[in-house]
Amino acid sequence: MTDTRKVLLKLEDVKMHFPLKKEKLFSNERPFVKAVDGVTIDVYEGETLGLVGESGCGKTTLGRVMLQLYTQTNGTVHYTGITLNDYAPTYAFKDAAKIASVKGSAEEIIEKYPNQVRLCGGLLLHDDLQELARTVRENLLAIKEVYRITTAIHLLDIKRVAHLESEKTNSNTSSEKKSFPKIESKISALEVQLKSAEKVRDEKDAVLIKMRERCSTKSGFDVLMDMREVSIDLSRLTDEEMRRQRRHLQIIFQDPYSSLNPRFTVGNIISEALVAHNMYGKGTKQLEDYTLDVMEKCGLQKYFLHRYPHQFSGGQRQRIGIARALAPQPKFVVCDEAVSALDVSIQSQIINLLMDLKDEANLTYLFISHDLSAVKFISDRVGVMYLGNIIELGKSDEIFKYPLHPYTNVLLKAIPTTDEESKKELQVIEGDIPSPVNPPPGCKFHTRCEYARDICKSNIPEWRELRPEHWVACHFPVGVEQVEPPEIPKLRNYGDNETNPYSE
């Protein structure tokens, strides 16, 4: 069955290694903290992906890499919220310039020219790569021109709104009256240019479509790839290009106290990003009305607008942080321990608020937390992280009902319960997390796993789908012979003198 869910963020082999000071002055070797050590995962549009694990496992670092608050050491972060048809980044022009040098079979091209493959797919099988390189570049230039004109019109429209409001409140200012017709004239001229630029872009698209038709009889990889659907690689954007995309990717911080500027009023805190991203003009009534609307949705009274953070409780401050994150109308939000600093009585209110806002705006969340009960309640899928790697991933109910990794199993057994009938004995994970500077070989959890064997100490476990949409990296998953249908394949045959460590 084909998965029809849209991938919003696609991470491929993402690593984030932080350099440390050299241990010896004249040594060439420099140690690194391997906070994230090779993560490949898809985040689907409209879902809440929970991320759990002990402190120091890399959850927050991974979330910040997704937002490009940290530039990863290795790997790519693809974002489908915008495509090449919306915005032509600088790196796309560099990739286009190298198209003419592409040589080899389909398999060789995929391996040697991954950036060019992402840019135009099977078109690289075209007979005239010089023509292809020129056409792709012309198409990118046309897209860039459309974006430039659209942005200019938007900025002028913001000025027009500001002048309209100013004229209503101060009808005696003649200079403002004179400047308004100039703005209208500029907008009209740009709208004419925009129609022409869009026509050129569509013509260039049509040329690429014809080129794809000429390639359609060739064998190889996806020859019908449409450049207009190519996602943006956030990891390759320039600082300025990434700044323009910040409004789409937001974060709710853990600490509701230190994350708010004490010198800003609530109105300033929420509206700052709106002005920075040219969504509204500074000081306009339109901006104030929108800010008040966001506050109301987040459970904040309108008269809070001119108050300062120190005048609020922890729960109210977190609502302000949520309002700030959601004001720019993002598509993806990292909730980094968003409720851990709050009283238990307030946590449920904030979680319910996040769920309501998600449904209303079709948001996508990465929900990072130590609280497994909160993760189970809010998440559609759950990823379990240990020492920089995701070691288990599956639907929320599936993870809690059929934990496959020994680490996940112990985490769940460590959850306190009020059910007297179950009389569950809390289990503690023995030992400390190994150093992320020198992680153990093989399975990183083998130093603390009671079922570890020799193979665990030397071989890295394979990432396998053992149940539908339930993945795990473990040589000996928990209960592989006891779980209910759909049946899980046995990993190995145990001899007469050898028993499965998970069998009863």
Side-chain angles (χ1 to χ4, degrees):
M1 182 177 179
T2 304
D3 195 337
T4 59
R5 294 175 296 179
K6 178 183 177 181
V7 175
L8 185 66
L9 278 169
K10 188 178 188 68
L11 281 68
E12 296 178 352
D13 194 28
V14 170
K15 297 180 181 178
M16 186 67 238
H17 296 176
F18 296 100
L20 298 175
K21 290 183 179 180
K22 292 182 180 180
E23 296 179 352
K24 297 181 180 179
L25 182 60
F26 299 105
S27 173
N28 292 326
E29 296 182 1
R30 190 169 191 177
F32 290 87
V33 175
K34 300 175 182 179
V36 177
D37 199 24
V39 171
T40 298
I41 191 173
D42 292 341
V43 181
Y44 297 105
E45 187 176 57
E47 79 164 341
T48 297
L49 175 63
L51 198 59
V52 300
E54 294 170 284
S55 296
C57 69
K59 303 186 301 297
T60 295
T61 301
L62 180 60
R64 296 193 176 200
V65 168
M66 288 182 177
L67 304 180
Q68 291 299 289
L69 297 176
Y70 294 151
T71 302
Q72 66 268 21
T73 307
N74 188 46
T76 59
V77 180
H78 287 273
Y79 173 60
T80 65
I82 51 173
T83 66
L84 287 184
N85 200 45
D86 305 311
Y87 182 72
T90 302
Y91 76 79
F93 288 92
K94 295 179 180 178
D95 293 344
K98 296 179 181 180
I99 288 176
S101 62
V102 172
K103 295 179 182 179
S105 63
E107 293 77 12
E108 292 172 329
I109 290 173
I110 291 173
E111 181 179 355
K112 295 180 181 179
Y113 306 96
N115 294 331
Q116 283 68 35
V117 170
R118 291 191 185 103
L119 183 63
C120 49
L123 281 172
L124 294 174
L125 298 175
H126 194 270
D127 294 329
D128 190 345
L129 292 181
Q130 292 281 354
E131 179 190 2
L132 175 61
R134 183 175 60 255
T135 305
V136 170
R137 177 175 171 79
E138 290 174 352
N139 197 6
L140 290 170
L141 287 171
I143 292 170
K144 188 174 183 179
E145 181 66 5
V146 170
Y147 177 82
R148 182 192 69 81
I149 297 172
T150 303
T151 302
I153 292 174
H154 178 66
L155 293 175
L156 286 173
D157 190 56
I158 290 175
K159 287 185 178 181
R160 176 171 59 181
V161 171
H163 281 296
L164 281 170
E165 291 186 7
S166 180
E167 286 185 354
K168 290 180 181 178
T169 57
N170 190 357
S171 58
N172 296 324
T173 307
S174 58
S175 61
E176 291 172 348
K177 289 184 177 181
K178 291 179 181 178
S179 63
F180 181 70
K182 292 181 181 178
I183 294 175
E184 290 282 13
S185 177
K186 289 180 180 179
I187 291 176
S188 298
L190 284 172
E191 287 175 344
V192 173
Q193 294 180 32
L194 179 60
K195 290 182 179 179
S196 176
E198 288 176 336
K199 183 179 179 181
V200 172
R201 181 196 61 191
D202 293 341
E203 289 173 351
K204 300 300 179 184
D205 280 342
V207 173
L208 283 175
I209 290 172
K210 290 182 179 178
M211 294 180 76
R212 279 196 296 275
E213 291 172 353
R214 275 182 271 168
C215 288
S216 62
T217 58
K218 299 198 174 206
S219 60
F221 53 102
D222 186 9
V223 296
L224 299 178
M225 185 172 182
D226 193 338
M227 203 174 78
R228 292 172 297 180
E229 298 176 357
V230 177
S231 60
I232 297 295
D233 186 352
L234 298 179
S235 58
R236 299 182 66 197
L237 296 181
T238 65
D239 291 342
E240 175 58 26
E241 289 170 345
M242 189 62 227
R243 191 195 70 80
R244 296 173 190 171
Q245 308 307 326
R246 289 270 177 233
R247 59 164 292 199
H248 301 294
L249 308 161
Q250 290 290 312
I251 184 170
I252 301 169
F253 295 97
Q254 176 179 354
D255 189 351
Y257 295 89
S258 61
S259 62
L260 302 180
N261 191 329
R263 298 177 182 272
F264 279 19
T265 64
V266 172
N268 295 144
I269 290 170
I270 297 174
S271 64
E272 183 181 18
L274 303 175
V275 176
H277 291 290
N278 297 311
M279 295 178 66
Y280 295 96
K282 185 176 182 179
T284 61
K285 188 176 185 303
Q286 196 177 37
L287 173 63
E288 181 178 334
D289 290 343
Y290 178 78
T291 302
L292 290 171
D293 182 58
V294 172
M295 289 174 59
E296 185 178 359
K297 290 179 180 178
C298 294
L300 297 167
Q301 301 298 321
K302 292 183 178 181
Y303 63 84
F304 291 169
L305 186 69
H306 300 294
R307 290 188 177 183
Y308 291 86
H310 73 270
Q311 297 175 281
F312 298 95
S313 66
Q316 289 173 324
R317 291 188 192 194
Q318 196 61 298
R319 289 176 184 270
I320 296 170
I322 293 171
R324 174 181 60 184
L326 301 189
Q329 300 174 1
K331 295 181 180 179
F332 177 67
V333 181
V334 172
C335 305
D336 185 13
E337 299 279 5
V339 297
S340 63
L342 307 176
D343 294 338
V344 176
S345 59
I346 305 299
Q347 288 183 8
S348 60
Q349 297 178 21
I350 297 300
I351 290 176
N352 286 328
L353 172 64
L354 289 171
M355 294 179 70
D356 291 341
L357 294 170
K358 172 182 177 292
D359 292 339
E360 182 179 333
N362 192 33
L363 296 170
T364 303
Y365 288 149
L366 177 70
F367 189 82
I368 300 171
S369 181
H370 291 93
D371 188 343
L372 292 174
S373 59
V375 170
K376 181 180 181 181
F377 181 73
I378 194 174
S379 302
D380 300 302
R381 289 191 301 153
V382 174
V384 182
M385 201 163 182
Y386 184 78
L387 211 60
N389 298 110
I390 293 180
I391 58 175
E392 186 166 0
L393 176 69
K395 294 180 180 179
S396 180
D397 292 340
E398 177 86 4
I399 289 285
F400 281 82
K401 191 173 183 180
Y402 303 117
L404 295 177
H405 200 283
Y407 178 65
T408 309
N409 194 45
V410 176
L411 283 180
L412 296 180
K413 288 182 178 180
I415 303 176
T417 179
T418 57
D419 187 1
E420 296 183 0
E421 294 182 1
S422 66
K423 295 182 180 180
K424 185 180 73 172
E425 182 179 350
L426 297 183
Q427 187 168 341
V428 179
I429 306 177
E430 300 293 337
D432 297 323
I433 299 178
S435 170
V437 179
N438 295 304
C443 174
K444 294 180 180 179
F445 187 61
H446 84 259
T447 58
R448 306 170 72 192
C449 180
E450 60 180 308
Y451 305 113
R453 297 189 176 189
D454 289 341
I455 189 175
C456 303
K457 301 175 183 178
S458 58
N459 292 12
I460 298 174
E462 182 185 353
W463 183 247
R464 294 173 293 176
E465 186 181 15
L466 295 187
R467 292 178 64 88
E469 299 184 52
H470 192 165
W471 299 77
V472 68
C474 181
H475 293 297
F476 306 103
V478 174
V480 293
E481 296 182 342
Q482 290 81 33
V483 294
E484 298 173 6
E487 184 179 358
I488 292 178
K490 296 181 181 180
L491 300 184
R492 55 178 295 184
N493 294 321
Y494 293 92
D496 295 336
N497 299 323
E498 189 179 10
T499 60
N500 183 340
Y502 301 111
S503 63
E504 297 182 359

